[in-house]
Amino acid sequence: MRVLVYGAGVIGSYLVHVLVRGGNDVTVLARGNRAEELEKEGLVIRHYFQRRTTVDPVRVIRTLEAGDIYDLIFVVMKYTDFQAVLPILANNRSSNIVLVGNNTDAHDMQNYLMEHSDTHKNIAFGFQISAGSRENGRTVCIRGGVQMVLGGLNGPILFKAVLDQAFAKTKYKLVYHENIDAWLKNHIVPILALGFVTIIHERQMTKIARDDKLLRQMIAAMDEGFRVLEAQGYPLTPAEQASLIRKHPTLLRLLLKIYHILPFSRLVDGSPYEIAALNRVFRDWKERSNVPTPNWDVLEERFNASYPFIH
C-alpha cells in the first residue's frame, strides 16, 4: 500500500517505522537537515524502554505535488504547523487523509479541505499514544504498547478498511472513537496543564516532583479545564481520565511525582509555542463558559511570564 507520512518528527518517525515494518510502500516528507539525515542514515530510532535501535531505509520527498497519489496520507504535525499544510493537501489528488496530533480545530480543518479541494477528501483525525525527543541526529521514542486513537467527524471513517489493511501486519493498535473531536479537546486539558508546569520549572523535572503545591494546583486546574469543556457541551472522554482527577487526586499526585522523577520524563518533547497556541484557543472556551478557573489562571499567568514574547 502506498503511504505518505507528512512530517518526520518523533511521532511521524515512529509511524513510518511501523508502516515500513508492516510491508507498506512508505514515503516520508521531510525538509532541511532532517531530510538529509534520512537519506544518508535511514530512519534511526532509539526505542527507550525496549533498549534497542532500529534503522529503516525510507524514501524521502521534500514537497507534495498535486499528482503524487497515495492510498493514505498521515499528516503528523505540531498544532502550529497544520494551517500551512492544509493548502498543500487540498491541492493534492489523494483522497484518504489522517491529521495526527494535538488539535482544537478539527471541524475547521475538515471544512477547509472539503471546500478548497477539487478531489473528494475522506478525512479522519487521530492521536498516536507515544512520545520522545530528537537528539544528536536520532529519534528517541518512548512507548509501551503503541496505538492510535482515531475517528471521523461525520460518522464512521469511510476508509477504515484501507487503514486496517495498512496496519494488518503490525503490532500497532488502531482504536476507533465515535467522538474524536471531543476526545481531542479533552486531551488538550492535561497537555496544557503538564506543559504549563514543565515550562514554569524550566524542564527541571525533579523540581516539579518536589513542588507539592504546584502539583496540587495542576490537578485542580485539570478539573477546572474539564468543567470548561462540560459547560461547552462536550462529553468527558475517556471518562476514566476525568474520574481519576476528580475522585483520586492523591493517587494522581503520587503518579505525577513518580513520572517527574523518572529519567524518561526529561525526554518528552514539548514546544512552548504549541502550548501557547493551544492555550489561546482554550482561553476562548473559558471566556465563553463563565466557569471559574482560579488554579488554571495562576498556572497560565506563570507560564506567560516565562514566555512573554509568544503570547
Side-chain angles (χ1 to χ4, degrees):
M1 184 169 294
R2 279 176 53 80
V3 182
L4 172 67
V5 177
Y6 196 126
V10 174
I11 305 301
S13 293
Y14 184 74
L15 186 58
V16 170
H17 164 74
V18 167
L19 290 165
V20 168
R21 297 294 173 105
N24 296 282
D25 179 7
V26 182
T27 299
V28 59
L29 192 149
R31 297 190 178 93
N33 292 337
R34 182 59 174 146
E36 294 174 6
E37 286 175 1
L38 292 168
E39 290 173 332
K40 182 180 179 181
E41 307 291 342
L43 177 62
V44 182
I45 298 180
R46 173 62 179 168
H47 303 263
Y48 184 85
F49 290 130
Q50 291 73 22
R51 303 181 65 81
R52 66 188 180 98
T53 299
T54 57
V55 182
D56 297 299
V58 293
R59 182 183 302 106
V60 180
I61 62 173
R62 288 166 172 78
T63 59
L64 177 62
E65 304 296 337
D68 297 341
I69 309 299
Y70 296 92
D71 299 305
L72 281 170
I73 296 179
F74 291 92
V75 185
V76 190
M77 312 291 290
K78 284 182 166 48
Y79 171 72
T80 47
D81 295 331
F82 275 126
Q83 290 299 326
V85 175
L86 293 179
I88 299 170
L89 296 172
N91 189 51
N92 180 262
R93 298 209 304 269
S94 302
S95 295
N96 301 324
I97 299 172
V98 185
L99 302 178
V100 182
N102 292 317
N103 199 327
T104 61
D105 308 324
H107 283 281
D108 289 342
M109 292 182 186
Q110 176 170 285
N111 290 340
Y112 180 94
L113 291 172
M114 293 293 198
E115 292 170 5
H116 291 83
S117 180
D118 293 332
T119 303
H120 177 73
K121 302 296 189 191
N122 300 314
I123 303 164
F125 296 85
F127 192 93
Q128 181 172 287
I129 310 298
S130 63
S133 62
R134 293 270 305 138
E135 57 179 38
N136 301 323
R138 70 175 183 175
T139 298
V140 179
C141 185
I142 300 169
R143 60 185 181 85
V146 177
Q147 66 181 36
M148 182 183 293
V149 179
L150 71 169
L153 299 182
N154 306 116
I157 299 174
L158 297 178
F159 55 102
K160 180 177 180 295
V162 180
L163 287 163
D164 290 340
Q165 181 181 343
F167 290 93
K169 297 180 180 179
T170 74
K171 295 180 181 179
Y172 189 102
K173 184 178 181 181
L174 299 180
V175 178
Y176 295 100
H177 199 285
E178 63 182 13
N179 192 341
I180 191 64
D181 185 47
W183 191 97
L184 289 168
K185 286 180 167 64
N186 275 258
H187 186 70
I188 296 302
V189 172
I191 285 290
L192 282 174
L194 285 163
F196 286 160
V197 301
T198 300
I199 299 302
I200 287 168
H201 276 321
E202 300 176 327
R203 301 191 63 82
Q204 298 179 51
M205 298 309 203
T206 54
K207 190 174 181 180
I208 296 172
R210 293 194 301 267
D211 192 338
D212 196 64
K213 179 181 178 181
L214 185 66
L215 290 175
R216 290 175 184 273
Q217 274 187 323
M218 178 169 60
I219 294 169
M222 290 183 192
D223 183 25
E224 292 167 359
F226 288 127
R227 293 184 190 283
V228 167
L229 292 181
E230 288 176 309
Q232 294 290 303
Y234 296 109
L236 299 186
T237 179
E240 297 81 5
Q241 178 177 246
S243 178
L244 174 62
I245 291 167
R246 290 175 170 176
K247 296 181 179 180
H248 306 286
T250 302
L251 173 60
L252 179 57
R253 192 167 73 254
L254 174 61
L255 294 175
L256 288 169
K257 281 179 178 289
I258 294 171
Y259 165 74
H260 286 99
I261 289 170
L262 293 173
F264 76 84
S265 68
R266 296 191 295 272
L267 298 176
V268 177
D269 197 10
S271 164
Y273 293 92
E274 183 171 32
I275 295 299
L278 291 168
N279 188 53
R280 282 193 290 272
V281 178
F282 193 83
R283 190 182 302 133
D284 290 338
W285 298 346
K286 285 199 305 171
E287 291 174 357
R288 291 199 302 267
S289 71
N290 292 318
V291 172
T293 56
N295 293 282
W296 189 284
D297 296 343
V298 169
L299 296 183
E300 181 181 17
E301 182 177 352
R302 294 182 67 182
F303 169 77
N304 290 342
S306 300
Y307 280 86
F309 54 88
I310 61 175
H311 304 284

